[in-house]
Short mmCIF file of all heavy atoms in Angstrom, two decimals:
data_model
loop_
_atom_site.label_atom_id
_atom_site.label_comp_id
_atom_site.label_asym_id
_atom_site.label_seq_id
_atom_site.Cartn_x
_atom_site.Cartn_y
_atom_site.Cartn_z
N VAL R 43 13.84 0.58 12.29
CA VAL R 43 14.40 -0.63 11.68
C VAL R 43 14.56 -0.44 10.18
O VAL R 43 15.60 -0.79 9.60
CB VAL R 43 13.51 -1.85 12.00
CG1 VAL R 43 13.95 -3.05 11.18
CG2 VAL R 43 13.58 -2.19 13.48
N ALA R 44 13.53 0.09 9.52
CA ALA R 44 13.59 0.30 8.07
C ALA R 44 14.70 1.29 7.71
O ALA R 44 15.41 1.11 6.70
CB ALA R 44 12.25 0.81 7.56
N THR R 45 14.87 2.34 8.51
CA THR R 45 15.93 3.32 8.25
C THR R 45 17.30 2.69 8.37
O THR R 45 18.19 2.95 7.55
CB THR R 45 15.82 4.50 9.24
OG1 THR R 45 14.53 5.09 9.11
CG2 THR R 45 16.88 5.54 8.96
N ILE R 46 17.49 1.82 9.36
CA ILE R 46 18.77 1.14 9.53
C ILE R 46 19.05 0.23 8.34
O ILE R 46 20.16 0.21 7.80
CB ILE R 46 18.78 0.34 10.85
CG1 ILE R 46 18.75 1.30 12.04
CG2 ILE R 46 20.01 -0.58 10.92
CD1 ILE R 46 18.53 0.62 13.37
N VAL R 47 18.04 -0.53 7.93
CA VAL R 47 18.23 -1.45 6.80
C VAL R 47 18.60 -0.68 5.53
O VAL R 47 19.54 -1.05 4.81
CB VAL R 47 16.95 -2.28 6.57
CG1 VAL R 47 17.05 -3.07 5.26
CG2 VAL R 47 16.73 -3.24 7.73
N LEU R 48 17.90 0.42 5.27
CA LEU R 48 18.14 1.17 4.04
C LEU R 48 19.44 1.98 4.11
O LEU R 48 20.27 1.91 3.20
CB LEU R 48 16.96 2.11 3.77
CG LEU R 48 15.63 1.43 3.43
CD1 LEU R 48 14.51 2.46 3.32
CD2 LEU R 48 15.75 0.64 2.13
N GLY R 49 19.61 2.76 5.19
CA GLY R 49 20.79 3.63 5.28
C GLY R 49 22.08 2.87 5.41
O GLY R 49 23.04 3.11 4.67
N VAL R 50 22.12 1.91 6.35
CA VAL R 50 23.34 1.12 6.55
C VAL R 50 23.57 0.18 5.37
O VAL R 50 24.71 -0.05 4.96
CB VAL R 50 23.26 0.35 7.88
CG1 VAL R 50 24.49 -0.53 8.07
CG2 VAL R 50 23.13 1.32 9.05
N GLY R 51 22.47 -0.38 4.83
CA GLY R 51 22.61 -1.26 3.67
C GLY R 51 23.20 -0.54 2.47
O GLY R 51 24.07 -1.07 1.77
N LEU R 52 22.74 0.68 2.22
CA LEU R 52 23.27 1.47 1.11
C LEU R 52 24.75 1.77 1.31
O LEU R 52 25.55 1.63 0.39
CB LEU R 52 22.48 2.78 0.99
CG LEU R 52 22.92 3.75 -0.10
CD1 LEU R 52 22.78 3.12 -1.48
CD2 LEU R 52 22.11 5.05 -0.03
N TYR R 53 25.10 2.17 2.54
CA TYR R 53 26.51 2.46 2.82
C TYR R 53 27.35 1.20 2.68
O TYR R 53 28.45 1.23 2.11
CB TYR R 53 26.64 3.02 4.23
CG TYR R 53 28.06 3.35 4.63
CD1 TYR R 53 28.70 4.47 4.11
CD2 TYR R 53 28.75 2.54 5.52
CE1 TYR R 53 30.01 4.77 4.48
CE2 TYR R 53 30.05 2.83 5.89
CZ TYR R 53 30.68 3.95 5.37
OH TYR R 53 31.98 4.25 5.72
N GLY R 54 26.85 0.07 3.16
CA GLY R 54 27.59 -1.19 3.02
C GLY R 54 27.81 -1.55 1.57
O GLY R 54 28.89 -2.05 1.20
N ALA R 55 26.81 -1.31 0.73
CA ALA R 55 26.96 -1.62 -0.69
C ALA R 55 28.08 -0.79 -1.32
O ALA R 55 28.82 -1.28 -2.17
CB ALA R 55 25.65 -1.36 -1.42
N THR R 56 28.24 0.46 -0.88
CA THR R 56 29.32 1.29 -1.43
C THR R 56 30.69 0.78 -0.99
O THR R 56 31.68 0.96 -1.70
CB THR R 56 29.17 2.76 -0.99
OG1 THR R 56 29.40 2.89 0.41
CG2 THR R 56 27.79 3.29 -1.33
N ILE R 57 30.77 0.14 0.20
CA ILE R 57 32.03 -0.43 0.65
C ILE R 57 32.42 -1.61 -0.24
O ILE R 57 33.56 -1.74 -0.68
CB ILE R 57 31.94 -0.88 2.12
CG1 ILE R 57 31.72 0.32 3.03
CG2 ILE R 57 33.20 -1.62 2.54
CD1 ILE R 57 31.51 -0.04 4.50
N GLY R 58 31.46 -2.50 -0.49
CA GLY R 58 31.76 -3.70 -1.27
C GLY R 58 31.86 -3.45 -2.76
O GLY R 58 32.36 -4.32 -3.50
N LEU R 59 31.41 -2.29 -3.22
CA LEU R 59 31.38 -2.01 -4.65
C LEU R 59 32.75 -2.06 -5.30
O LEU R 59 32.86 -2.31 -6.50
CB LEU R 59 30.74 -0.64 -4.88
CG LEU R 59 30.37 -0.27 -6.32
CD1 LEU R 59 29.38 -1.27 -6.89
CD2 LEU R 59 29.80 1.14 -6.37
N TRP R 60 33.80 -1.85 -4.51
CA TRP R 60 35.16 -1.89 -5.08
C TRP R 60 35.45 -3.25 -5.72
O TRP R 60 36.18 -3.34 -6.69
CB TRP R 60 36.17 -1.59 -3.96
CG TRP R 60 37.58 -1.44 -4.45
CD1 TRP R 60 38.01 -0.70 -5.52
CD2 TRP R 60 38.75 -2.03 -3.89
NE1 TRP R 60 39.38 -0.78 -5.65
CE2 TRP R 60 39.86 -1.60 -4.65
CE3 TRP R 60 38.97 -2.86 -2.79
CZ2 TRP R 60 41.16 -1.99 -4.38
CZ3 TRP R 60 40.27 -3.25 -2.50
CH2 TRP R 60 41.35 -2.82 -3.29
N HIS R 61 34.86 -4.30 -5.17
CA HIS R 61 35.06 -5.65 -5.70
C HIS R 61 33.97 -6.08 -6.67
O HIS R 61 33.98 -7.22 -7.13
CB HIS R 61 35.15 -6.66 -4.56
CG HIS R 61 36.42 -6.58 -3.77
ND1 HIS R 61 37.56 -7.30 -4.08
CD2 HIS R 61 36.74 -5.84 -2.69
CE1 HIS R 61 38.51 -7.02 -3.23
NE2 HIS R 61 38.05 -6.13 -2.37
N GLY R 62 33.00 -5.22 -6.93
CA GLY R 62 31.97 -5.56 -7.90
C GLY R 62 30.59 -5.70 -7.27
O GLY R 62 30.42 -5.62 -6.06
N PRO R 63 29.57 -5.91 -8.12
CA PRO R 63 28.18 -5.97 -7.65
C PRO R 63 27.90 -7.06 -6.62
O PRO R 63 27.12 -6.86 -5.69
CB PRO R 63 27.38 -6.21 -8.94
CG PRO R 63 28.27 -5.74 -10.04
CD PRO R 63 29.67 -6.01 -9.58
N LEU R 64 28.52 -8.25 -6.78
CA LEU R 64 28.26 -9.33 -5.84
C LEU R 64 28.74 -8.98 -4.43
O LEU R 64 28.01 -9.17 -3.44
CB LEU R 64 28.95 -10.62 -6.30
CG LEU R 64 28.76 -11.84 -5.38
CD1 LEU R 64 27.27 -12.18 -5.25
CD2 LEU R 64 29.56 -13.04 -5.91
N MET R 65 29.94 -8.42 -4.33
CA MET R 65 30.46 -8.02 -3.03
C MET R 65 29.63 -6.87 -2.46
O MET R 65 29.40 -6.81 -1.25
CB MET R 65 31.92 -7.61 -3.15
CG MET R 65 32.61 -7.34 -1.83
SD MET R 65 32.75 -8.83 -0.83
CE MET R 65 33.71 -8.19 0.55
N ALA R 66 29.17 -5.97 -3.32
CA ALA R 66 28.31 -4.87 -2.86
C ALA R 66 27.02 -5.43 -2.25
O ALA R 66 26.56 -4.95 -1.21
CB ALA R 66 27.98 -3.94 -4.02
N PHE R 67 26.45 -6.46 -2.88
CA PHE R 67 25.24 -7.08 -2.34
C PHE R 67 25.54 -7.76 -1.00
O PHE R 67 24.75 -7.63 -0.05
CB PHE R 67 24.71 -8.11 -3.34
CG PHE R 67 23.58 -8.95 -2.80
CD1 PHE R 67 22.30 -8.42 -2.65
CD2 PHE R 67 23.81 -10.26 -2.41
CE1 PHE R 67 21.27 -9.19 -2.14
CE2 PHE R 67 22.78 -11.04 -1.90
CZ PHE R 67 21.51 -10.51 -1.76
N TYR R 68 26.66 -8.46 -0.93
CA TYR R 68 27.02 -9.15 0.32
C TYR R 68 27.17 -8.16 1.48
O TYR R 68 26.61 -8.36 2.55
CB TYR R 68 28.33 -9.92 0.13
CG TYR R 68 28.20 -11.24 -0.59
CD1 TYR R 68 29.33 -11.92 -1.06
CD2 TYR R 68 26.96 -11.82 -0.82
CE1 TYR R 68 29.22 -13.13 -1.73
CE2 TYR R 68 26.84 -13.02 -1.50
CZ TYR R 68 27.98 -13.67 -1.95
OH TYR R 68 27.86 -14.87 -2.61
N VAL R 69 27.96 -7.12 1.26
CA VAL R 69 28.22 -6.17 2.34
C VAL R 69 26.97 -5.36 2.67
O VAL R 69 26.70 -5.05 3.84
CB VAL R 69 29.41 -5.25 1.99
CG1 VAL R 69 29.72 -4.31 3.15
CG2 VAL R 69 30.64 -6.06 1.65
N GLY R 70 26.20 -5.00 1.64
CA GLY R 70 24.95 -4.29 1.88
C GLY R 70 23.96 -5.10 2.69
O GLY R 70 23.12 -4.55 3.40
N THR R 71 24.06 -6.42 2.60
CA THR R 71 23.21 -7.30 3.40
C THR R 71 23.78 -7.48 4.80
O THR R 71 23.04 -7.48 5.80
CB THR R 71 23.09 -8.68 2.72
OG1 THR R 71 22.54 -8.51 1.41
CG2 THR R 71 22.19 -9.61 3.53
N LYS R 72 25.10 -7.64 4.90
CA LYS R 72 25.73 -7.96 6.18
C LYS R 72 25.79 -6.78 7.13
O LYS R 72 25.66 -6.96 8.36
CB LYS R 72 27.15 -8.51 5.95
CG LYS R 72 27.17 -9.89 5.37
CD LYS R 72 28.56 -10.51 5.47
CE LYS R 72 29.54 -9.82 4.56
NZ LYS R 72 30.86 -10.51 4.58
N LEU R 73 26.00 -5.58 6.63
CA LEU R 73 26.19 -4.44 7.53
C LEU R 73 24.96 -4.16 8.40
O LEU R 73 25.11 -3.93 9.61
CB LEU R 73 26.60 -3.20 6.72
CG LEU R 73 27.63 -2.28 7.41
CD1 LEU R 73 28.90 -3.06 7.73
CD2 LEU R 73 27.96 -1.09 6.52
N PRO R 74 23.73 -4.18 7.86
CA PRO R 74 22.58 -4.05 8.76
C PRO R 74 22.49 -5.19 9.77
O PRO R 74 22.09 -4.97 10.93
CB PRO R 74 21.38 -4.07 7.81
CG PRO R 74 21.92 -3.58 6.50
CD PRO R 74 23.31 -4.14 6.44
N LEU R 75 22.87 -6.42 9.36
CA LEU R 75 22.87 -7.54 10.29
C LEU R 75 23.86 -7.30 11.43
O LEU R 75 23.59 -7.65 12.59
CB LEU R 75 23.23 -8.84 9.56
CG LEU R 75 22.22 -9.34 8.52
CD1 LEU R 75 22.74 -10.59 7.83
CD2 LEU R 75 20.86 -9.61 9.17
N ILE R 76 25.00 -6.70 11.11
CA ILE R 76 25.99 -6.37 12.14
C ILE R 76 25.41 -5.37 13.14
O ILE R 76 25.60 -5.49 14.35
CB ILE R 76 27.27 -5.82 11.49
CG1 ILE R 76 27.98 -6.92 10.70
CG2 ILE R 76 28.21 -5.21 12.53
CD1 ILE R 76 29.11 -6.42 9.83
N ILE R 77 24.69 -4.38 12.62
CA ILE R 77 24.07 -3.38 13.49
C ILE R 77 23.06 -4.02 14.43
O ILE R 77 23.06 -3.77 15.65
CB ILE R 77 23.38 -2.28 12.64
CG1 ILE R 77 24.42 -1.47 11.86
CG2 ILE R 77 22.55 -1.36 13.54
CD1 ILE R 77 25.40 -0.71 12.71
N PHE R 78 22.21 -4.90 13.90
CA PHE R 78 21.20 -5.53 14.75
C PHE R 78 21.83 -6.51 15.74
O PHE R 78 21.36 -6.65 16.87
CB PHE R 78 20.16 -6.23 13.88
CG PHE R 78 19.29 -5.29 13.09
CD1 PHE R 78 19.18 -5.40 11.72
CD2 PHE R 78 18.61 -4.26 13.72
CE1 PHE R 78 18.39 -4.53 10.99
CE2 PHE R 78 17.81 -3.38 13.01
CZ PHE R 78 17.70 -3.51 11.63
N ALA R 79 22.91 -7.20 15.32
CA ALA R 79 23.61 -8.08 16.25
C ALA R 79 24.25 -7.28 17.38
O ALA R 79 24.21 -7.68 18.55
CB ALA R 79 24.67 -8.89 15.50
N THR R 80 24.82 -6.12 17.03
CA THR R 80 25.40 -5.25 18.04
C THR R 80 24.33 -4.74 19.00
O THR R 80 24.54 -4.66 20.21
CB THR R 80 26.11 -4.06 17.38
OG1 THR R 80 27.11 -4.54 16.46
CG2 THR R 80 26.78 -3.16 18.41
N LEU R 81 23.16 -4.41 18.45
CA LEU R 81 22.06 -3.95 19.29
C LEU R 81 21.63 -5.03 20.28
O LEU R 81 21.42 -4.76 21.46
CB LEU R 81 20.87 -3.55 18.41
CG LEU R 81 19.58 -3.15 19.12
CD1 LEU R 81 19.81 -1.91 19.99
CD2 LEU R 81 18.47 -2.89 18.11
N LEU R 82 21.54 -6.28 19.81
CA LEU R 82 21.14 -7.37 20.69
C LEU R 82 22.17 -7.61 21.79
O LEU R 82 21.82 -7.82 22.96
CB LEU R 82 20.94 -8.65 19.86
CG LEU R 82 19.73 -8.68 18.94
CD1 LEU R 82 19.72 -9.95 18.10
CD2 LEU R 82 18.44 -8.58 19.74
N VAL R 83 23.45 -7.58 21.41
CA VAL R 83 24.51 -7.82 22.39
C VAL R 83 24.55 -6.70 23.43
O VAL R 83 24.66 -6.94 24.64
CB VAL R 83 25.88 -7.95 21.69
CG1 VAL R 83 27.01 -7.94 22.70
CG2 VAL R 83 25.93 -9.23 20.87
N ASN R 84 24.44 -5.46 22.96
CA ASN R 84 24.60 -4.32 23.86
C ASN R 84 23.34 -3.96 24.63
O ASN R 84 23.41 -3.24 25.63
CB ASN R 84 25.06 -3.08 23.07
CG ASN R 84 26.55 -3.13 22.79
OD1 ASN R 84 27.26 -3.95 23.36
ND2 ASN R 84 27.01 -2.26 21.93
N ALA R 85 22.18 -4.45 24.17
CA ALA R 85 20.94 -4.10 24.86
C ALA R 85 20.97 -4.55 26.31
O ALA R 85 20.62 -3.79 27.22
CB ALA R 85 19.74 -4.73 24.14
N MET R 86 21.40 -5.80 26.54
CA MET R 86 21.47 -6.30 27.91
C MET R 86 22.60 -5.64 28.69
O MET R 86 22.43 -5.21 29.83
CB MET R 86 21.67 -7.82 27.90
CG MET R 86 21.67 -8.44 29.29
SD MET R 86 20.12 -8.20 30.19
CE MET R 86 19.02 -9.25 29.22
N ILE R 87 23.78 -5.54 28.05
CA ILE R 87 24.94 -4.95 28.74
C ILE R 87 24.67 -3.49 29.10
O ILE R 87 24.88 -3.07 30.25
CB ILE R 87 26.20 -5.05 27.86
CG1 ILE R 87 26.54 -6.53 27.61
CG2 ILE R 87 27.37 -4.33 28.50
CD1 ILE R 87 27.69 -6.72 26.64
N ASN R 88 24.18 -2.73 28.12
CA ASN R 88 23.93 -1.31 28.38
C ASN R 88 22.75 -1.10 29.33
O ASN R 88 22.69 -0.10 30.04
CB ASN R 88 23.69 -0.57 27.06
CG ASN R 88 24.97 -0.40 26.26
OD1 ASN R 88 26.05 -0.68 26.76
ND2 ASN R 88 24.85 0.06 25.04
N GLY R 89 21.80 -2.05 29.32
CA GLY R 89 20.71 -1.97 30.28
C GLY R 89 21.22 -2.11 31.70
O GLY R 89 20.78 -1.38 32.61
N LEU R 90 22.16 -3.04 31.91
CA LEU R 90 22.77 -3.19 33.23
C LEU R 90 23.58 -1.96 33.61
O LEU R 90 23.52 -1.47 34.74
CB LEU R 90 23.66 -4.44 33.25
CG LEU R 90 22.94 -5.79 33.17
CD1 LEU R 90 23.95 -6.92 32.99
CD2 LEU R 90 22.11 -6.02 34.42
N LEU R 91 24.36 -1.44 32.63
CA LEU R 91 25.16 -0.25 32.90
C LEU R 91 24.27 0.95 33.23
O LEU R 91 24.61 1.77 34.09
CB LEU R 91 26.04 0.07 31.69
CG LEU R 91 27.21 -0.89 31.43
CD1 LEU R 91 27.90 -0.54 30.11
CD2 LEU R 91 28.22 -0.83 32.56
N ALA R 92 23.13 1.03 32.54
CA ALA R 92 22.21 2.14 32.79
C ALA R 92 21.71 2.10 34.24
O ALA R 92 21.55 3.15 34.88
CB ALA R 92 21.03 2.08 31.82
N GLN R 93 21.48 0.89 34.75
CA GLN R 93 21.02 0.77 36.13
C GLN R 93 22.15 1.11 37.11
O GLN R 93 21.94 1.83 38.09
CB GLN R 93 20.54 -0.66 36.40
CG GLN R 93 19.41 -1.14 35.49
CD GLN R 93 18.15 -0.33 35.65
OE1 GLN R 93 17.72 -0.05 36.77
NE2 GLN R 93 17.53 0.06 34.54
N LEU R 94 23.35 0.61 36.82
CA LEU R 94 24.47 0.81 37.73
C LEU R 94 24.94 2.26 37.77
O LEU R 94 25.37 2.75 38.82
CB LEU R 94 25.64 -0.09 37.32
CG LEU R 94 25.42 -1.61 37.49
CD1 LEU R 94 26.58 -2.38 36.86
CD2 LEU R 94 25.28 -1.95 38.97
N LEU R 95 24.85 2.94 36.62
CA LEU R 95 25.39 4.30 36.52
C LEU R 95 24.34 5.37 36.80
O LEU R 95 24.62 6.56 36.66
CB LEU R 95 26.02 4.51 35.14
CG LEU R 95 27.20 3.59 34.82
CD1 LEU R 95 27.66 3.78 33.38
CD2 LEU R 95 28.36 3.83 35.78
N GLY R 96 23.15 4.96 37.15
CA GLY R 96 22.13 5.92 37.57
C GLY R 96 21.48 6.70 36.45
O GLY R 96 21.15 7.87 36.63
N SER R 97 21.29 6.05 35.28
CA SER R 97 20.70 6.78 34.15
C SER R 97 19.19 7.00 34.33
O SER R 97 18.63 7.92 33.74
CB SER R 97 20.93 6.00 32.86
OG SER R 97 20.13 4.84 32.82
N GLY R 98 18.52 6.13 35.11
CA GLY R 98 17.08 6.25 35.28
C GLY R 98 16.29 5.59 34.19
O GLY R 98 15.05 5.67 34.17
N LEU R 99 16.96 4.89 33.24
CA LEU R 99 16.29 4.22 32.13
C LEU R 99 16.06 2.75 32.47
O LEU R 99 16.93 2.09 33.05
CB LEU R 99 17.12 4.33 30.85
CG LEU R 99 17.25 5.72 30.23
CD1 LEU R 99 18.28 5.68 29.11
CD2 LEU R 99 15.92 6.21 29.70
N SER R 100 14.92 2.23 32.06
CA SER R 100 14.64 0.80 32.21
C SER R 100 15.32 0.04 31.07
O SER R 100 15.87 0.64 30.13
CB SER R 100 13.14 0.55 32.17
OG SER R 100 12.63 0.87 30.89
N PHE R 101 15.24 -1.29 31.12
CA PHE R 101 15.83 -2.09 30.04
C PHE R 101 15.13 -1.84 28.72
O PHE R 101 15.78 -1.73 27.67
CB PHE R 101 15.76 -3.59 30.40
CG PHE R 101 16.84 -4.04 31.33
CD1 PHE R 101 16.65 -4.03 32.70
CD2 PHE R 101 18.06 -4.47 30.83
CE1 PHE R 101 17.66 -4.45 33.56
CE2 PHE R 101 19.07 -4.88 31.69
CZ PHE R 101 18.87 -4.87 33.05
N ARG R 102 13.80 -1.70 28.75
CA ARG R 102 13.07 -1.42 27.52
C ARG R 102 13.45 -0.06 26.96
O ARG R 102 13.69 0.08 25.75
CB ARG R 102 11.55 -1.48 27.81
CG ARG R 102 10.67 -1.45 26.57
CD ARG R 102 10.25 -0.04 26.16
NE ARG R 102 9.47 0.64 27.16
CZ ARG R 102 9.07 1.90 27.04
NH1 ARG R 102 9.40 2.61 25.97
NH2 ARG R 102 8.38 2.48 28.01
N GLN R 103 13.54 0.93 27.81
CA GLN R 103 13.91 2.27 27.36
C GLN R 103 15.35 2.31 26.86
O GLN R 103 15.65 3.01 25.89
CB GLN R 103 13.72 3.26 28.51
CG GLN R 103 12.26 3.50 28.87
CD GLN R 103 12.10 4.29 30.16
OE1 GLN R 103 12.94 4.21 31.06
NE2 GLN R 103 11.02 5.04 30.27
N THR R 104 16.23 1.55 27.49
CA THR R 104 17.62 1.49 27.03
C THR R 104 17.69 0.90 25.63
O THR R 104 18.40 1.42 24.75
CB THR R 104 18.47 0.64 27.99
OG1 THR R 104 18.48 1.25 29.28
CG2 THR R 104 19.89 0.51 27.49
N THR R 105 16.96 -0.18 25.40
CA THR R 105 16.96 -0.82 24.08
C THR R 105 16.42 0.12 23.02
O THR R 105 16.99 0.23 21.92
CB THR R 105 16.13 -2.12 24.12
OG1 THR R 105 16.64 -2.99 25.12
CG2 THR R 105 16.17 -2.81 22.76
N GLU R 106 15.34 0.82 23.32
CA GLU R 106 14.77 1.74 22.34
C GLU R 106 15.67 2.95 22.12
O GLU R 106 15.75 3.48 21.01
CB GLU R 106 13.37 2.18 22.79
CG GLU R 106 12.37 1.05 22.78
CD GLU R 106 10.93 1.54 22.81
OE1 GLU R 106 10.72 2.76 22.91
OE2 GLU R 106 10.03 0.69 22.73
N ALA R 107 16.36 3.39 23.17
CA ALA R 107 17.31 4.49 23.00
C ALA R 107 18.45 4.07 22.09
O ALA R 107 18.90 4.85 21.23
CB ALA R 107 17.85 4.93 24.36
N LEU R 108 18.93 2.84 22.24
CA LEU R 108 19.98 2.33 21.36
C LEU R 108 19.48 2.21 19.92
O LEU R 108 20.21 2.49 18.97
CB LEU R 108 20.48 0.98 21.86
CG LEU R 108 21.31 0.99 23.15
CD1 LEU R 108 21.57 -0.43 23.61
CD2 LEU R 108 22.61 1.73 22.94
N LEU R 109 18.23 1.79 19.77
CA LEU R 109 17.65 1.70 18.43
C LEU R 109 17.60 3.08 17.78
O LEU R 109 17.89 3.23 16.58
CB LEU R 109 16.24 1.09 18.51
CG LEU R 109 15.52 0.86 17.18
CD1 LEU R 109 16.29 -0.14 16.32
CD2 LEU R 109 14.09 0.36 17.43
N MET R 110 17.25 4.11 18.56
CA MET R 110 17.28 5.48 18.05
C MET R 110 18.70 5.88 17.64
O MET R 110 18.90 6.52 16.60
CB MET R 110 16.77 6.44 19.12
CG MET R 110 15.31 6.33 19.47
SD MET R 110 14.90 7.52 20.79
CE MET R 110 13.21 7.07 21.12
N THR R 111 19.67 5.48 18.46
CA THR R 111 21.06 5.81 18.15
C THR R 111 21.48 5.23 16.82
O THR R 111 22.08 5.92 15.97
CB THR R 111 21.99 5.27 19.26
OG1 THR R 111 21.62 5.83 20.50
CG2 THR R 111 23.44 5.63 18.97
N PHE R 112 21.16 3.96 16.59
CA PHE R 112 21.55 3.32 15.34
C PHE R 112 20.76 3.87 14.16
O PHE R 112 21.24 3.83 13.03
CB PHE R 112 21.39 1.81 15.46
CG PHE R 112 22.44 1.14 16.30
CD1 PHE R 112 22.09 0.36 17.39
CD2 PHE R 112 23.78 1.32 16.02
CE1 PHE R 112 23.06 -0.24 18.17
CE2 PHE R 112 24.75 0.72 16.78
CZ PHE R 112 24.40 -0.06 17.87
N THR R 113 19.57 4.39 14.42
CA THR R 113 18.81 5.04 13.35
C THR R 113 19.52 6.32 12.89
O THR R 113 19.65 6.58 11.68
CB THR R 113 17.38 5.37 13.82
OG1 THR R 113 16.74 4.18 14.26
CG2 THR R 113 16.57 5.99 12.69
N VAL R 114 19.99 7.12 13.84
CA VAL R 114 20.75 8.32 13.50
C VAL R 114 22.04 7.93 12.79
O VAL R 114 22.46 8.57 11.81
CB VAL R 114 21.05 9.16 14.76
CG1 VAL R 114 21.90 10.37 14.41
CG2 VAL R 114 19.76 9.60 15.42
N PHE R 115 22.69 6.87 13.28
CA PHE R 115 23.89 6.35 12.61
C PHE R 115 23.59 6.02 11.15
O PHE R 115 24.37 6.35 10.25
CB PHE R 115 24.38 5.11 13.36
CG PHE R 115 25.52 4.39 12.70
CD1 PHE R 115 26.83 4.77 12.97
CD2 PHE R 115 25.30 3.34 11.82
CE1 PHE R 115 27.89 4.11 12.36
CE2 PHE R 115 26.36 2.68 11.21
CZ PHE R 115 27.66 3.07 11.49
N ALA R 116 22.45 5.36 10.91
CA ALA R 116 22.08 5.00 9.54
C ALA R 116 21.86 6.23 8.67
O ALA R 116 22.23 6.25 7.48
CB ALA R 116 20.82 4.13 9.56
#
Side-chain angles (χ1 to χ4, degrees):
V43 170
T45 302
I46 292 171
V47 171
L48 293 174
V50 177
L52 178 62
Y53 180 74
T56 68
I57 295 176
L59 191 60
W60 187 47
H61 288 270
L64 179 60
M65 187 66 175
F67 172 74
Y68 281 167
V69 183
T71 301
K72 288 193 291 185
L73 217 58
L75 294 178
I76 291 170
I77 294 297
F78 291 125
T80 303
L81 175 62
L82 289 175
V83 169
N84 280 348
M86 183 62 69
I87 297 174
N88 287 351
L90 290 171
L91 289 173
Q93 302 297 315
L94 292 172
L95 298 175
S97 72
L99 292 171
S100 66
F101 279 91
R102 190 269 298 176
Q103 291 170 331
T104 298
T105 303
E106 293 197 356
L108 289 173
L109 183 62
M110 292 178 186
T111 301
F112 286 124
T113 303
V114 177
F115 174 87

